[in-house]
Amino acid sequence: MADAHTSKDNSTLFTSLGRLAPQLKPIIWPLIWGLLSALAASVVALVVPQVYRVLVNTALQPGNGTKGLWTGAAVVLGLGILEAGLIALRRQFVIVPATTVETRMRTSFYRHLQSLAVEFHDRWGSGQLLSRAMSDLNFMRRWMAFGAIMLVVTTLTVVIGVSLMFSMSWQLGLIFLAAAVPIAIFGFRFRLSYGRVSRKSQDQAGDLATAVEESVHGIRVLKAFGRGPEALDSFAGQAQELQATEIHKAKSLAVFSLVVTLLPELALGSGLVDGILLVSAGKLDVGALVAFFATAAVVAGPVESMGPLMAMTLTAKTAIDRHFEVMDAVNTVTDPASPVALDSARGELEFRGVHFRYPDTPAATRDVLDGINLTLRAGETMALVGVTGCGKSTLLSLVPRLFDVTAGTLMLDGVDVRQLTLSALRTHVAVAFEDTTLFSNSVRDNVLLGAAEQPGLSPEDVLEQALEVAQASFAYTLPQGVDTLIGEEGLSLSGGQRQRIALARAIAARPAVLVLDDPLSALDVNTEERVTERLRSVLESTTTLIVAHRPSTVSLADRVALLQDGRITAVGTHSELLAANSHYRYVLASLTEEPRDLDSHLETGLGEELAEELGAGKEAGA
Amino acid sequence: MSTTTGTANEDRVELSKADSKAVRQRSVRLLRTLLRPVRRRFIITVVLVVLSQAAKVSGPLLIAYGIDSALPAVRSGGNLLPLLVTGGGYLLAAVASSWLTATYLTATARLSQAMLLDLRIQVFRHTQRLSLEFHETYTSGRIISRQTSDLEALRELLDSGIADLASGIIFMVLTAVSIFSLDWITGLLVLAAAVPMYFLSRWYQRRSQAAYRSSRVVSARLIVHFIETMTGIRAVKAYRREKDNAATYDELAEDYRRVTVRSINLNGIFQPGLVLIGNVAVAVVLLVGGFRVLDHGLAVGALLALLLATKRFFQPISQMAMFYNSFQSAQAALEKVSGLLEEVPTVLPPRTPVPLPRAQGHIRFAGVEFGYGSGPAVLPRLDLDIPAGQTVAVVGATGAGKSTLAKLIARFYDVTAGSLTLDGVELRQLSIADLRRAVVMVTQEAFLFSGTVAENIALGNPAASRAEIEAAAREVGADGFIRALPDGYDTDVNKRGGRVSAGQRQLISFARAFLANPAVLILDEATSSLDIPSERMVQDGLHQLLGGGSGPGGAPGRTALIIAHRLSTVAIADRVLVVHDGRIVEDGSPAELISGGGRFAALHGAWRDSLV
Ligand SMILES: Nc1ncnc2c1ncn2[C@@H]1O[C@H](COP(=O)(O)OP(=O)(O)OP(=O)(O)O)[C@@H](O)[C@H]1O
Ligand SMILES: Nc1ncnc2c1ncn2[C@@H]1O[C@H](COP(=O)(O)OP(=O)(O)OP(=O)(O)O)[C@@H](O)[C@H]1O
Ligand SMILES: [Mg+2]
Ligand SMILES: [Mg+2]
């Protein structure tokens, strides 16, 4: 949402633009050449009238032959070609370097985003990020290739023009210059106010993109409740806000342009009166007066374009700020400085005093994970059970380091996971998320997304095996078999099909540790049973942590851990816990509450309060 | 028939002549429809531009007047009146011209923003109206790219194009008139320059069209990839896709750079080319005029004036080139946008809807057949009658067609054959408003929007008060956890509800449905991620909601279609349907089916066994 990126809008124009410097360094020469070409083109344009003057005074005088005329015309033609050539040259010089810098910044932006922690992505809408990756960088490139160069050329033209004017008449020059003082003051105010609106409009445009993205991803819900009109209203409201900001921005620029063009003109108007009086008083000759105004006319164009160029520069500043805001975001989950190598993991996983809290949790509340002690022996399958929202998924997300523990340690084969490189850790660990995150590719690409190279097996075999274990062989019967595109987020599959593809993906990775978050929730009882059976045999040597809401899934596990109030309050086999732990019965045994479905043998466990096994399995720690 | 209707083949860059013409026309048509509602404002803007140009021209005239008339007047006897007229006139012209410029800048922004807003809303409305079938293949990234970078191209055209074009044309016409009035031969020479310009523009048009078209296609690809990575970032990280993704993205970004450079370079030939033609024309005018001067056919002063006028005539050319460039870019963008707008929803609201203000909830499938798109039939033939007020459980293997059945009732898709009626009215004949009031579906995917918990629940009924929202949450047993969130009901759930757990998301979705309180409630695996105690609580709430009496006006309660793999839900059902391969293979009360010893009995047995 919008508040994730409210700006600390205190960087000045120059510090912001200065941040581009390292990017510009490699292309500084082309930029300078481009600048020189632009300057030369302006000079050439100014030279042509001089040729006319010479021609009128010499070749075109009656009685002269045609030779002078031919030469004159040839010179004018040559200058004309030169001017066009220089204009083309400016583009040639700057375009490729500028787009290269743009592309480099864009790709490093993307890389940086990919490396940023999940916690960052939870806060930032994709539309907002997209607008920074696309339109901000586009704008910055345009400023670099055109705006910045033209700003320099324009400023130079104005400065040269004004000094020429001074040389013609210092009195008139002073009058003209007097206009510059209010312009400078106004320009300062403009910089602040325009900077603010341009920031606002770019942020709003990003939020609008986010709104579009959500409205498409959530289209099923919107359709199911017929809330399209409401979504449209809220989108329209947002778009209108953006519209208002844009108009405000345009107004602010218009007022600035008005001041920038009006004041010099007013100065010229009084200069005209004054000049005529000076001439009539004999303090100035007519030629100088004419030349003064001729030069003023040349300067008028550049002065007028100062407004838009300033605005462009300010918008470029905003774009750069927005870009670096993301680039400055620190990655909280990083590779260690000196990683420990762990070539093949046995898969022993130990949580030792693990604490975790989400960054935005209020200070008073206790941690979501409040001292987890749990050991999974290598090859063991452990089910994790707990009520809705107790932190199971959170616990799981610590294993591949999607989040980092806030205290305590999580160890794989006795090595703190933070000491492994992320890619090594994530090679050893594969996850199936509770909401199946599939990509709009083919089934094959989705399943083989993180697949490991397996000696003697072609990718085709790996695919087939994984699909077989996950009971997802239906994929072969899809219209184009495993090459069928499954739609955005796999939404052209049924819920259970989606889930099995995601499960197959985790299996195909052949990890040492498999983390499955409620992977069978969308399956019918029979399929679930088949998957469970296959999983059990395949998972023999794989350490598995599996979240379970149903006894049927629990039955897959060697042991069960019960998560309660942020701690593991019991570990044991299903029947042990069922017998000994009342909270476990509460969470898992639906039948105890429903007399008509009651299974008699459950009764025996009721009321008996056995000691809870805490942190069991320590002995496997070595 | 064109092969480029709608969004079909929108990634093709090289189009046949006919196709290219068709899409261009489509895009110009869209531009015209956007202009129509703002045509008055458009005219006013153009007038402002013209007036400001006129005011600008009057400045130099006044200077000439000052030097030619006021100066001699002051010199010869101190008549200050002409001087005052000059000075006052100059100031007046300056004020008028800068004020007019400021006004037209604002007016242009208003105009362009009005058109953009119009188009944004049109595209949004249209994408909301398009059927799920379309969205499944088109992807959100593309829609976002239509709504962002394509609109950006249009915006560029509108922001600077109008003023450039209007002032350029006015300026050129006026200058051309003055050239002709001075000397028609020069006038003809200047006009002759139009011939090479025309050919250059044609060349540019053809090349830039392809370049901008590919630029749209490539940028859409870039955006699609970007959005998908950011949306699936967890999977990207967990499966170490960063390197491969970065490589793909590098490639796409490089493609994008290449097409950008290509289009800029084309413009880099076009614009200097025009300048060159103008400069050549000036040289030719000089040569021809010079000979005439030597032959005493033309005065030197007149030649000078003609040269200056010719130069001036070509001055706005680069502005016009810029306009043409943004026009080409905007047109390519509008080709895509208009293609999206041309897509026809496969599920259309009726022309003359049959009103159904108060639905009872009687659903009937008669000879219904359905398949997704051109795929195989998912429901080969279905006859089913669900009386109002009945609670029906639908069970069956995954992929059997349960959700499909439900989605047909919610009219996410239209049946391919046969009839599907609610209270005797074909679903196709119901207005969308009536249908959504009567039928609400909680989909298998619990999607939350960023915004507060309360806002998300209120999606079920935007008119609901806070008390009603809380009551709905209480009924599904979500109240407790919501209150425990940092800001209770006002906690922002983050994008896609990432702030709450999967089960909590389902509870919130459930509360939505409770709040909507429809005549027909469809629950597709709405409790699959819940723990057993929460599920039980939801079921209690559901039982109350569905139970008779609470229905509006003493109606027989609500019709409910409950899809569930956990057969605990079946306990509250009056009737069970077993779906297998798109057919209903068993149909009866739970007790009947269990004692009947069929599939359901087996399923139920297996489920019972799985419980302990
Ligand atoms: N990104 C987040 N920021 C802050 N709080 C969060 C975030 N994600 C989850 N929570 C909170 O942390 C708690 C644990 O969430 P988690 O997703 O781990 O639950 P869970 O045990 O997996 O539940 P379920 O069974 O519903 O999936 C919940 O109360 C939830 O509201
Ligand atoms: N949008 C779609 N486009 C194409 N085919 C689809 C689409 N949705 C579902 N299918 C196919 O239709 C069949 C029935 O799917 P449906 O979603 O109705 O199954 P289901 O019974 O709900 O299964 P589950 O229990 O897994 O949710 C499946 O083979 C599926 O692949
Ligand atoms: Mg969870
Ligand atoms: Mg389904």
Side-chain angles (χ1 to χ4, degrees):
Chain A
M1 287 297 313
D3 52 346
H5 45 77
T6 39
S7 59
K8 318 157 277 310
D9 210 3
N10 46 18
S11 60
T12 69
L13 182 59
F14 290 103
T15 50
S16 295
L17 296 182
R19 299 208 57 182
L20 268 188
Q23 305 288 340
L24 292 184
K25 217 174 206 161
I27 64 156
I28 195 71
W29 281 110
L31 284 187
I32 290 176
W33 283 120
L35 178 64
L36 292 179
S37 311
L39 275 175
S42 318
V43 170
V44 168
L46 287 175
V47 167
V48 173
Q50 305 304 315
V51 179
Y52 296 161
R53 198 168 52 90
V54 175
L55 270 181
V56 169
N57 291 340
T58 59
L60 291 179
Q61 291 304 314
N64 280 334
T66 54
K67 192 165 159 272
L69 179 58
W70 279 108
T71 322
V75 170
V76 169
L77 183 65
L79 288 175
I81 295 175
L82 188 62
E83 186 195 357
L86 284 170
I87 294 177
L89 210 56
R90 173 180 72 77
R91 292 166 164 273
Q92 278 306 315
F93 275 128
V94 297
I95 294 307
V96 170
T99 51
T100 311
V101 167
E102 178 198 7
T103 303
R104 194 166 336 127
M105 286 174 80
R106 180 169 289 135
T107 50
S108 59
F109 186 75
Y110 179 82
R111 274 165 219 268
H112 184 66
L113 277 181
Q114 278 201 112
S115 75
L116 280 174
V118 168
E119 169 262 327
F120 173 90
H121 288 276
D122 279 350
R123 281 182 293 128
W124 287 70
S126 348
Q128 187 56 253
L129 295 174
L130 178 75
S131 76
R132 288 164 201 240
M134 295 300 287
S135 50
D136 281 347
L137 287 179
N138 269 339
F139 198 88
M140 193 225 49
R141 183 246 308 157
R142 256 188 268 163
W143 177 76
M144 215 156 52
F146 176 79
I149 289 183
M150 286 331 264
L151 194 63
V152 175
V153 172
T154 309
T155 315
L156 280 180
T157 316
V158 172
V159 169
I160 294 172
V162 171
S163 16
L164 278 177
M165 286 158 77
F166 254 94
S167 75
M168 289 158 197
S169 158
W170 62 267
Q171 298 99 322
L172 296 183
L174 270 187
I175 293 182
F176 191 72
L177 212 58
V181 177
I183 289 180
I185 296 172
F186 197 82
F188 183 74
R189 273 190 37 204
F190 170 71
R191 210 184 77 192
L192 292 183
S193 69
Y194 191 82
R196 211 170 301 129
V197 260
S198 98
R199 171 78 209 206
K200 192 167 156 199
S201 88
Q202 274 156 283
D203 284 350
Q204 282 176 339
D207 286 339
L208 204 62
T210 305
V212 172
E213 185 236 349
E214 278 207 326
S215 77
V216 180
H217 280 146
I219 189 134
R220 279 151 209 270
V221 173
L222 292 177
K223 279 203 189 280
F225 287 88
R227 292 293 164 246
E230 280 80 4
L232 179 65
D233 283 350
S234 109
F235 174 80
Q238 243 177 310
Q240 273 156 359
E241 275 173 35
L242 174 62
Q243 183 195 28
T245 314
E246 286 290 348
I247 290 177
H248 183 84
K249 196 169 119 186
K251 267 190 192 155
S252 145
L253 173 59
V255 171
F256 182 64
S257 299
L258 184 130
V259 172
V260 169
T261 48
L262 180 59
L263 288 178
E265 287 287 321
L266 289 183
L268 281 182
S270 36
L272 182 60
V273 174
D274 195 37
I276 289 175
L277 289 176
L278 281 173
V279 172
S280 63
K283 288 180 185 146
L284 193 71
D285 64 287
V286 184
L289 183 64
V290 172
F292 180 85
F293 278 98
T295 319
V298 173
V299 174
V303 165
E304 208 174 304
S305 60
M306 282 305 245
L309 285 175
M310 268 304 285
M312 193 175 181
T313 307
L314 290 171
T315 314
K317 172 203 183 278
T318 313
I320 293 166
D321 283 349
R322 279 163 47 92
H323 175 79
F324 281 108
E325 223 165 74
V326 173
M327 292 305 276
D328 288 346
V330 268
N331 188 359
T332 47
V333 179
T334 50
D335 277 337
S338 47
V340 175
L342 190 69
D343 289 335
S344 63
R346 277 175 292 122
E348 182 199 299
L349 197 64
E350 183 183 351
F351 294 80
R352 194 182 287 169
V354 164
H355 283 256
F356 180 79
R357 60 192 292 127
Y358 284 101
D360 65 342
T361 318
T365 37
R366 56 188 289 186
D367 294 355
V368 185
L369 301 180
D370 199 16
I372 299 284
N373 288 303
L374 180 67
T375 305
L376 278 74
R377 301 180 203 114
E380 180 183 37
T381 298
M382 170 87 76
L384 186 64
V385 170
V387 295
T388 292
C390 71
K392 303 179 293 295
S393 304
T394 308
L395 182 74
L396 259 50
S397 66
L398 298 178
V399 182
R401 283 187 75 198
L402 294 177
F403 291 92
D404 261 345
V405 298
T406 43
T409 44
L410 170 56
M411 294 193 286
L412 177 63
D413 286 359
V415 180
D416 189 330
V417 289
R418 282 168 297 185
Q419 295 199 304
L420 299 172
T421 61
L422 283 170
S423 81
L425 173 66
R426 289 171 187 167
T427 316
H428 297 313
V429 178
V431 198
F433 299 100
E434 49 193 345
D435 16 51
T436 51
T437 0
L438 298 180
F439 295 98
S440 62
N441 287 338
S442 62
V443 173
R444 178 203 309 275
D445 289 348
N446 270 291
V447 174
L448 297 181
L449 195 67
E453 294 278 340
Q454 286 171 54
L457 285 183
S458 68
E460 211 55 38
D461 299 333
V462 175
L463 175 70
E464 194 183 327
Q465 266 187 13
L467 288 177
E468 193 271 326
V469 174
Q471 297 294 307
S473 305
F474 73 88
Y476 291 104
T477 66
L478 291 172
Q480 280 96 43
V482 287
D483 294 314
T484 312
L485 298 178
I486 57 173
E488 188 164 29
E489 303 186 18
L491 284 176
S492 57
L493 296 176
S494 88
Q497 292 171 338
R498 225 160 35 228
Q499 203 171 40
R500 280 174 290 160
I501 298 289
L503 183 60
R505 176 172 72 185
I507 292 166
R510 287 276 157 188
V513 178
L514 194 56
V515 173
L516 306 175
D517 201 347
D518 206 9
L520 310 173
S521 63
L523 303 186
D524 63 283
V525 186
N526 289 332
T527 313
E528 183 179 354
E529 209 172 84
R530 284 202 303 276
V531 176
T532 318
E533 215 162 90
R534 289 294 293 130
L535 272 181
R536 201 179 289 130
S537 66
V538 171
L539 297 184
E540 203 99 63
S541 59
T542 312
T543 312
T544 308
L545 185 56
I546 179 172
V547 168
H549 279 135
R550 313 286 164 209
S552 47
T553 321
V554 171
S555 66
L556 196 64
D558 303 322
R559 289 190 300 161
V560 187
L562 179 65
L563 181 61
Q564 185 181 3
D565 300 328
R567 287 161 196 270
I568 301 291
T569 52
V571 179
T573 63
H574 179 52
S575 41
E576 279 168 18
L577 292 188
L578 211 53
N581 191 302
S582 61
H583 184 68
Y584 187 75
R585 276 195 301 277
Y586 166 73
V587 177
L588 220 57
S590 54
L591 299 188
T592 54
E593 304 282 322
E594 301 275 15
R596 59 202 151 89
D597 281 339
L598 200 69
D599 272 351
S600 54
H601 71 272
L602 262 180
E603 288 287 358
T604 54
L606 272 173
E608 294 178 22
E609 292 293 333
L610 294 184
E612 293 175 356
E613 298 173 69
L614 262 165
K618 274 270 157 65
E619 72 280 6
Chain B
M1 184 63 213
S2 164
T3 53
T4 49
T5 322
T7 54
N9 292 319
E10 71 169 6
D11 280 357
R12 275 228 315 259
V13 175
E14 295 303 331
L15 296 180
S16 72
K17 249 201 163 91
D19 283 345
S20 174
K21 196 164 160 205
V23 291
R24 282 177 75 81
Q25 275 172 355
R26 182 173 77 191
S27 129
V28 172
R29 214 159 42 229
L30 175 60
L31 191 61
R32 231 180 278 136
T33 52
L34 287 173
L35 267 174
R36 200 165 304 135
V38 289
R39 55 179 180 272
R40 279 189 46 176
R41 188 174 278 165
F42 180 74
I43 293 169
I44 292 175
T45 310
V46 170
V47 169
L48 282 170
V49 171
V50 172
L51 287 181
S52 83
Q53 287 299 321
K56 241 178 236 165
V57 171
S58 66
L61 294 181
L62 282 165
I63 294 178
Y65 173 77
I67 293 172
D68 292 347
S69 320
L71 183 55
V74 176
R75 268 183 174 163
S76 65
N79 181 2
L80 289 179
L81 189 65
L83 180 60
L84 290 182
V85 170
T86 310
Y90 195 94
L91 296 189
L92 214 63
V95 171
S97 111
S98 31
W99 182 79
L100 282 167
T101 309
T103 316
Y104 92 64
L105 281 178
T106 322
T108 314
R110 279 184 201 283
L111 178 72
S112 103
Q113 287 298 322
M115 287 169 71
L116 283 175
L117 180 69
D118 184 12
L119 187 57
R120 276 203 179 104
I121 290 179
Q122 263 189 50
V123 173
F124 190 92
R125 183 185 300 128
H126 195 72
T127 47
Q128 283 295 317
R129 208 183 282 152
L130 282 170
S131 333
L132 291 178
E133 211 171 330
F134 174 82
H135 285 288
E136 272 150 17
T137 50
Y138 196 67
T139 72
S140 59
R142 273 168 191 270
I143 290 174
I144 294 170
S145 100
R146 300 287 92 96
Q147 279 268 30
T148 56
S149 72
D150 287 358
L151 258 61
E152 198 64 32
L154 176 62
R155 179 213 159 119
E156 253 154 51
L157 171 69
L158 296 174
D159 271 357
S160 58
I162 299 169
D164 279 356
L165 186 67
S167 66
I169 288 181
I170 288 296
F171 195 83
M172 289 178 83
V173 167
L174 288 181
T175 326
V177 167
S178 73
I179 293 177
F180 265 101
S181 66
L182 277 172
D183 179 53
W184 64 271
I185 299 179
T186 311
L188 287 184
L189 284 177
V190 169
L191 278 197
V195 177
M197 283 192 179
Y198 172 79
F199 283 110
L200 182 62
S201 307
R202 282 293 298 175
W203 169 86
Y204 174 71
Q205 187 209 33
R206 226 166 323 129
R207 302 293 293 277
S208 70
Q209 194 180 317
Y212 278 118
R213 208 173 268 151
S214 48
S215 149
R216 293 296 97 209
V217 171
V218 174
S219 87
R221 267 194 218 131
L222 193 66
I223 291 176
V224 167
H225 179 84
F226 187 94
I227 292 286
E228 214 173 7
T229 306
M230 297 311 145
T231 316
I233 191 74
R234 281 166 199 260
V236 166
K237 284 178 175 294
Y239 288 95
R240 311 177 312 283
R241 299 303 296 167
E242 291 97 334
K243 275 215 184 67
D244 289 339
N245 274 347
T248 313
Y249 191 79
D250 283 357
E251 212 169 286
L252 289 171
E254 179 56 25
D255 278 354
Y256 182 57
R257 191 190 73 78
R258 258 201 301 266
V259 292
T260 310
V261 168
R262 185 146 71 103
S263 56
I264 298 178
N265 276 346
L266 282 175
N267 193 30
I269 297 174
F270 179 52
Q271 201 186 338
L274 290 177
V275 172
L276 181 65
I277 294 174
N279 287 347
V280 171
V282 171
V284 171
V285 166
L286 172 62
L287 194 64
V288 174
F291 275 111
R292 287 167 62 210
V293 168
L294 291 178
D295 294 349
H296 305 287
L298 196 67
V300 175
L303 174 59
L304 209 55
L306 283 173
L307 282 175
L308 292 181
T310 310
K311 180 75 195 161
R312 257 218 314 272
F313 177 78
F314 289 111
Q315 246 164 26
I317 277 286
S318 57
Q319 260 179 52
M320 309 270 276
M322 218 117 94
F323 165 80
Y324 198 55
N325 177 41
S326 11
F327 182 74
Q328 289 291 318
S329 153
Q331 193 178 38
L334 285 185
E335 277 174 14
K336 306 294 173 216
V337 178
S338 59
L340 177 61
L341 289 176
E342 202 179 51
E343 282 292 328
V344 183
T346 46
V347 175
L348 278 169
R351 260 177 224 291
T352 46
V354 177
L356 187 69
R358 175 157 292 174
Q360 301 295 310
H362 174 199
I363 293 164
R364 219 175 104 87
F365 288 75
V368 163
E369 288 171 26
F370 178 75
Y372 291 95
S374 54
V378 174
L379 303 178
R381 185 173 175 85
L382 192 70
D383 292 286
L384 176 66
D385 189 294
I386 303 175
Q390 199 170 53
T391 302
V392 181
V394 181
V395 300
T398 110
K402 307 178 294 295
S403 302
T404 306
L405 180 79
K407 287 188 277 189
L408 286 180
I409 302 178
R411 208 174 168 226
F412 280 10
Y413 305 89
D414 270 337
V415 298
T416 321
S419 101
L420 172 54
T421 59
L422 172 64
D423 292 351
V425 185
E426 277 291 336
L427 284 193
R428 290 175 208 253
Q429 309 244 286
L430 289 174
S431 73
I432 297 293
D434 277 351
L435 176 67
R436 295 302 172 214
R437 188 154 14 88
V439 181
V440 154
M441 172 165 174
V442 179
T443 54
Q444 209 160 354
E445 311 81 29
F447 188 94
L448 301 193
F449 293 89
S450 58
T452 67
V453 176
E455 282 164 13
N456 266 293
I457 298 179
L459 201 81
N461 176 9
S465 67
R466 175 54 75 91
E468 286 169 305
I469 291 173
E470 290 179 11
R474 249 192 313 278
E475 270 179 276
V476 300
D479 187 65
F481 94 81
I482 296 174
R483 282 188 195 286
L485 293 173
D487 300 313
Y489 282 85
D490 296 317
T491 312
D492 192 330
V493 296
N494 281 2
K495 83 174 180 201
R496 300 195 142 207
R499 171 71 183 73
V500 291
S501 83
Q504 293 167 340
R505 268 199 298 280
Q506 279 199 333
L507 286 176
I508 293 175
S509 307
F510 226 101
R512 253 182 210 159
F514 266 62
L515 197 63
N517 204 4
V520 179
L521 180 62
I522 306 169
L523 303 173
D524 190 356
E525 293 285 345
T527 55
S528 62
S529 297
L530 292 180
D531 61 3
I532 291 167
S534 312
E535 184 176 22
R536 205 176 297 128
M537 234 155 119
V538 168
Q539 257 152 30
D540 288 346
L542 195 61
H543 197 61
Q544 290 211 335
L545 183 78
L546 300 180
S550 63
R558 244 151 289 277
T559 309
L561 195 75
I562 304 173
I563 301 175
H565 292 308
R566 316 280 157 245
L567 299 190
S568 42
T569 326
V570 174
I572 62 166
D574 306 321
R575 176 178 172 192
V576 175
L577 302 174
V578 181
V579 181
H580 186 74
D581 284 345
R583 286 169 213 277
I584 294 174
V585 290
E586 284 176 34
D587 178 356
S589 75
E592 271 168 28
L593 292 186
I594 290 170
S595 60
R599 278 173 199 274
F600 181 70
L603 214 57
H604 194 259
W607 173 70
R608 295 257 316 220
D609 291 344
S610 77
L611 275 182
V612 182

